[in-house]
Amino acid sequence: MIRNAVLHINNEQPLLADLFELPGPADVVLRCTNLRSMNGKRPVFVDDSASVFFFPYLHIRFVEIPPAAVGETGLPMPVPVGVTADPVLAAPEPEDDGDLEIDEDFLRRIREA
């Protein structure tokens, strides 16, 4: 059970829920339980928050799963936290330009403007 996942539903406030499993690429719906608002209260459209809920992915913008919630279950994260999945997409190392010279003429024009 993945606890305290945040469901961001289209045109609605986010909801907290407990997921039965990590969402997969072939899934059509998200299955969850213990549905509640971000302040912990039961949403007005829910009769019993302990019910099982099915949300079509068509209505979900994204699902936010805290790393600590997955760490408790032992389930593997799709991409390890803090690691870039593709080294090509990784941010390049900043180049060391050494001491930069200050352009006094440029600073004078800024002060006069």
Side-chain angles (χ1 to χ4, degrees):
M1 177 84 46
I2 301 168
R3 303 210 181 272
N4 299 325
V6 183
L7 305 180
H8 295 268
I9 300 173
N10 292 332
N11 301 321
E12 294 291 333
Q13 293 294 319
L15 297 170
L16 286 173
D18 295 341
L19 305 179
F20 290 100
E21 64 271 336
L22 281 172
D27 293 345
V28 178
V29 296
L30 180 74
R31 185 173 63 123
C32 61
T33 188
N34 195 15
L35 196 63
R36 58 211 182 275
S37 62
M38 293 301 286
N39 62 6
K41 295 183 180 178
R42 180 182 56 84
V44 295
F45 59 87
V46 173
D47 289 329
D48 184 9
S49 63
S51 300
V52 176
F53 299 92
F54 293 90
F55 286 97
Y57 279 122
L58 173 69
H59 299 292
I60 296 177
R61 289 181 53 221
F62 62 94
V63 178
E64 183 178 348
I65 301 173
V70 177
E72 296 171 358
T73 64
L75 294 171
M77 282 292 281
V79 177
V81 177
V83 177
T84 306
D86 188 358
V88 175
L89 298 176
E93 295 282 331
E95 294 180 15
D96 185 21
D97 292 334
D99 293 331
L100 297 176
E101 294 182 24
I102 298 175
D103 186 2
E104 295 295 332
D105 185 48
F106 177 70
L107 291 176
R108 180 185 50 77
R109 285 184 281 152
I110 291 175
R111 288 186 202 116
E112 292 173 357

